[in-house]
Amino acid sequence: MSQVFSEETHRNMLSRIPQCTGREVSEWLRAVDEGPSLLRFEEKVSWLRGEHNLAYGHAKAIIHEHDLRRAARHR
């Protein structure tokens, strides 16, 4: 996986996503679930940026959160 933000930075970034994008984080996570089945972190980030015109940091935070939640479901 790509290098990620610190936990605090990640949480701060997530909290700003709705204001910056006009969509809730849960909507973005659903978009990733419904998107193409990409395996690599950076592929997912690139897809999200290209498909939805997101800033790199926002896309990275969304994919990181998606991966965290997916891992928690599989424990």
Side-chain angles (χ1 to χ4, degrees):
M1 182 187 305
S2 179
Q3 188 176 32
V4 294
F5 305 118
S6 71
E7 182 64 26
E8 179 181 0
T9 301
H10 176 67
R11 292 288 155 218
N12 288 336
M13 181 72 75
L14 284 180
S15 72
R16 289 192 308 266
I17 285 174
Q19 179 183 8
C20 294
T21 68
R23 292 173 70 180
E24 295 296 322
V25 172
S26 61
E27 294 175 64
W28 287 115
L29 297 174
R30 192 168 34 261
V32 173
D33 282 337
E34 295 170 356
S37 296
L38 302 171
L39 298 176
R40 293 178 43 232
F41 184 88
E42 288 299 329
E43 289 176 325
K44 295 175 192 177
V45 171
S46 293
W47 170 79
L48 201 53
R49 291 183 70 208
E51 186 72 20
H52 297 283
N53 199 31
L54 289 177
Y56 178 74
H58 292 142
K60 187 174 173 179
I62 291 165
I63 297 301
H64 181 57
E65 184 67 17
H66 183 267
D67 288 351
L68 288 173
R69 291 183 186 197
R70 187 182 64 218
R73 285 192 306 260
H74 294 288
R75 286 186 186 167

